[in-house]
Amino acid sequence: MNRKLHYWGACVCILPVMIMIGSGLLLLLKGESDWVQPATVRGQAGEPSLSMDTILRITRSIEQMEVSSWSDINRLDVRPSKGVIKVRGNNHWELQLDHISGESLQLAYRRSDTIESIHDGTFFADWAKLWLFLPASLILMALSMTGVYLFVQPMMARRRKRLRLAARA
């Protein structure tokens, strides 16, 4: 029974699991690789002083950001300890601004959000997360448990046999 479950489970979940593993490996490197996620650049030390209007005006002036209003901005990440405000556009570009002067410190494409959506399945379709990637994860967990059982079972059988032979002697 376990071998059949192992065999067919692997066939069913191999593609989603390989996608999750590959994208997971890239996500593990996001702090180490500027290709996945731009490194945070340090700005001036001090208390943030840029107004929201100033942040929007500066961001609008950067063509790659493709921002005309706040609805074109995915999020702001304010890091006072590093002196930077990260502005992430809906188009995955990230602008890093000095939080006091408003100077543009770095503009880079941010791939980590796309890789995360590939990792959880939403990149392919909204339903894929719960109806494809979740079952594949559960099947992988079952495969891991049956794999451990299939690995340990012969050792336990040999041990029982040794104990029986030792008891007879």
Side-chain angles (χ1 to χ4, degrees), residues 40-124:
T40 302
V41 179
R42 288 194 170 271
Q44 299 176 55
E47 200 169 304
S49 61
L50 288 181
S51 71
M52 298 300 259
D53 288 336
T54 304
I55 293 170
L56 181 60
R57 181 180 47 75
I58 294 168
T59 305
R60 278 183 181 158
S61 70
I62 308 293
E63 189 177 320
Q64 289 96 330
M65 292 296 291
E66 297 176 2
V67 168
S68 59
S69 69
W70 283 109
S71 63
D72 298 321
I73 294 176
N74 178 279
R75 72 182 65 146
L76 295 179
D77 183 1
V78 181
R79 304 222 175 159
S81 64
K82 295 191 176 183
V84 68
I85 298 173
K86 296 181 180 185
V87 182
R88 289 193 224 167
N90 291 334
N91 64 354
H92 302 289
W93 279 87
E94 178 181 276
L95 173 63
Q96 295 185 30
L97 301 172
D98 181 283
H99 71 162
I100 295 174
S101 69
E103 175 190 353
S104 175
L105 301 173
Q106 177 175 293
L107 176 66
Y109 191 76
R110 184 183 177 99
R111 292 172 180 84
S112 61
D113 297 333
T114 303
I115 295 168
E116 285 172 17
S117 70
I118 291 169
H119 186 70
D120 71 14
T122 55
F123 176 83
F124 306 103

